[in-house]
Amino acid sequence: MSNSLAESGAQGPAAPGRKPHATDTRGPFHGPAALWLALMAGPLSFGIAGPALVLDDAARDLDVSTGAVTWTVTAFGWGIAVGTPLLAGLLDRRGARTALTTCGLLVLLGAGLVAGVPVLPVLVLGTALMGLGTAGLTATAMSLAGSPRAMGLVTASLAVVGSTAPLAGSLVNDLLSWQATLALPVLSAVAVPFAVARCAHGAPVTREPFDPLGAVLLTALVTALVFVPHQPLAAGVCSVLAAGLLAAQVRARPRGFVPAVLLRNPGFLVAAGLALCLAVVNFGMMYAIPERLEDHTSWSTSEIGVAMVWPLLLGGALSWFVVAVSAARAGRRVVITALVGLALAGAVLAAVGTSPAVLLAAQALTSIAAASGQGAFAVHATSAVPDAERPPAIGLFNLAYLLGAAFGPAIVSLLSL
């Protein structure tokens, strides 16, 4: 079975009730062409980590509290969490050209609002739109990746950009403005025309009509889950209610917005679950390690920030090699054992270590595990399902990983109380 919609002439078995996808590109996105996919996906990380060092400047210029400005980051996080499954659904039903064009316009509109209207409600709206757009571009890039190497390059770009985003955001703030820093995800739109040019005009079509209730319920569930770390009780109750209603909708519409075939596929569920767990550990460590360094060194906050760059950058850079090698030479059990082992080793080192070298090595191990796991397990997840289900599979897989990014810091905060 083909691992990519991008492979010319390769058609996997369609799910019951769906027509097979027509090939959606002129050729696989591998080799040099995969660089466009990496450029399209990587800037998403600017929206997550880029504002870290400029929020105080933004708060001062807007004459609001720093806590109020953090709603721009929360809005971006909501956008990528909600946009990942929703815009993967657009890819599923309208094809890559429509998905890329729509997501690119969302990014440009959001960046225009952020750069042009320095008013907090408008900034929140703009960052949310950029989150929606970059989430769709990332899901589409992963769906178009024509090989494990290309998939590894896409996921490595997310990790590499994320590791350098705070420093890059600070430099852009010094050279231009904090608004330019918030608008950095717009760089993903640069690759859209080149990706569109490689996509055929034909769009995949499904027999099933659009499932608006399923889309609304999934959006409600994701929104509630995103706010669990901020409002545990209220958001937790809403999450349970939304999950129950969504489960009922999946039973009523098994070929709807959330295909039942994915939720019944052990291979997909294991891959998504492992990606979630690795993301929880890695993003939790990104908050725990600075606290440990502050406790056991005399380093300043800026020195800690600079020191944190290399383990995260190392993890992102090595992940491309790990994904490529694991897909070509290693069995799935070996990959799972190795990546889970790296994450556990990193967590143990962080718990017992006190020297800076050990603590930074711990962060490097969990970064390698999470960045590699996102790429390797994405390949596993999509190869476990029919090609017709690849776009929603990518959307739900990425959603699991992003929820891990939201839950990891919250778990560390609870453990440190």
Side-chain angles (χ1 to χ4, degrees), residues 199-222:
C199 296
H201 290 279
V205 178
T206 64
R207 292 179 181 176
E208 287 292 319
F210 180 64
D211 176 17
L213 182 57
V216 168
L217 289 175
L218 181 60
T219 301
L221 175 60
V222 173

Side-chain angles (χ1 to χ4, degrees), residues 1-14 18-25 204-205 385-389:
M1 181 177 64
S2 167
N3 282 343
S4 174
L5 291 176
E7 296 188 32
S8 301
Q11 297 292 337
R18 288 176 178 258
K19 293 179 181 178
H21 284 275
T23 185
D24 204 38
T25 65
V205 178
V385 302
D387 279 358
E389 304 296 346

Side-chain angles (χ1 to χ4, degrees), residues 2-101:
S2 167
N3 282 343
S4 174
L5 291 176
E7 296 188 32
S8 301
Q11 297 292 337
R18 288 176 178 258
K19 293 179 181 178
H21 284 275
T23 185
D24 204 38
T25 65
R26 296 172 187 168
F29 276 77
H30 58 70
L35 293 173
W36 293 116
L37 300 182
L39 176 59
M40 194 163 62
L44 177 147
S45 294
F46 278 128
I48 298 174
L53 302 178
V54 307
L55 294 179
D56 288 339
D57 291 344
R60 183 179 61 253
D61 289 349
L62 295 171
D63 195 24
V64 298
S65 68
T66 302
V69 176
T70 58
W71 277 104
T72 58
V73 180
T74 300
F76 188 88
W78 174 86
I80 60 175
V82 170
T84 294
L86 288 183
L87 292 165
L90 178 66
L91 170 65
D92 184 29
R93 294 176 178 278
R94 292 292 182 264
R97 292 175 69 94
T98 299
L100 290 170
T101 302

Side-chain angles (χ1 to χ4, degrees), residues 76-359:
F76 188 88
W78 174 86
I80 60 175
V82 170
T84 294
L86 288 183
L87 292 165
L90 178 66
L91 170 65
D92 184 29
R93 294 176 178 278
R94 292 292 182 264
R97 292 175 69 94
T98 299
L100 290 170
T101 302
T102 301
C103 295
L105 290 174
L106 286 171
V107 172
L108 290 173
L109 176 59
L113 292 174
V114 168
V117 186
V119 178
L120 185 58
V122 177
L123 293 172
V124 170
L125 174 61
T127 52
L129 291 174
M130 285 193 295
L132 288 167
T134 53
L137 292 178
T138 300
T140 304
M142 293 179 71
S143 185
L144 292 175
S147 68
R149 287 179 179 272
M151 180 71 81
L153 186 62
V154 171
T155 56
S157 71
L158 291 165
V160 169
V161 173
S163 66
T164 58
L167 289 180
S170 179
L171 290 174
V172 170
N173 181 40
D174 293 340
L175 293 173
L176 299 173
S177 68
W178 57 264
Q179 288 170 265
T181 297
L182 294 183
L184 279 175
V186 75
L187 294 175
S188 61
V190 172
V192 170
F194 299 94
V196 169
R198 295 184 62 85
C199 296
H201 290 279
V205 178
T206 64
R207 292 179 181 176
E208 287 292 319
F210 180 64
D211 176 17
L213 182 57
V216 168
L217 289 175
L218 181 60
T219 301
L221 175 60
V222 173
T223 301
L225 289 172
V226 167
F227 282 94
V228 164
H230 304 282
Q231 298 290 336
L233 181 59
V237 171
C238 291
S239 298
V240 172
L241 291 175
L245 292 173
L246 181 60
Q249 179 66 9
V250 171
R251 286 194 295 270
R253 292 282 300 274
R255 303 187 189 101
F257 190 80
V258 179
V261 66
L262 297 182
L263 303 183
R264 297 168 183 167
N265 187 309
F268 172 80
L269 294 177
V270 169
L274 287 170
L276 169 66
C277 293
L278 293 180
V280 167
V281 174
N282 180 55
F283 287 97
M285 292 278 283
M286 289 174 66
Y287 281 75
I289 294 298
E291 292 183 1
R292 297 280 290 166
L293 289 172
E294 186 176 357
D295 292 339
H296 296 286
T297 70
S298 59
W299 293 353
S300 66
T301 301
S302 59
E303 289 173 333
I304 291 174
V306 171
M308 288 288 291
V309 169
W310 79 259
L312 296 173
L313 186 60
L314 177 65
L318 287 182
S319 67
W320 176 82
F321 175 77
V322 173
V323 173
V325 171
S326 66
R329 303 177 184 176
R332 294 190 180 187
R333 290 185 179 179
V334 174
V335 174
I336 292 172
T337 301
L339 296 183
V340 171
L342 286 176
L344 291 176
V348 171
L349 286 178
V352 302
T354 57
S355 73
V358 171
L359 293 173

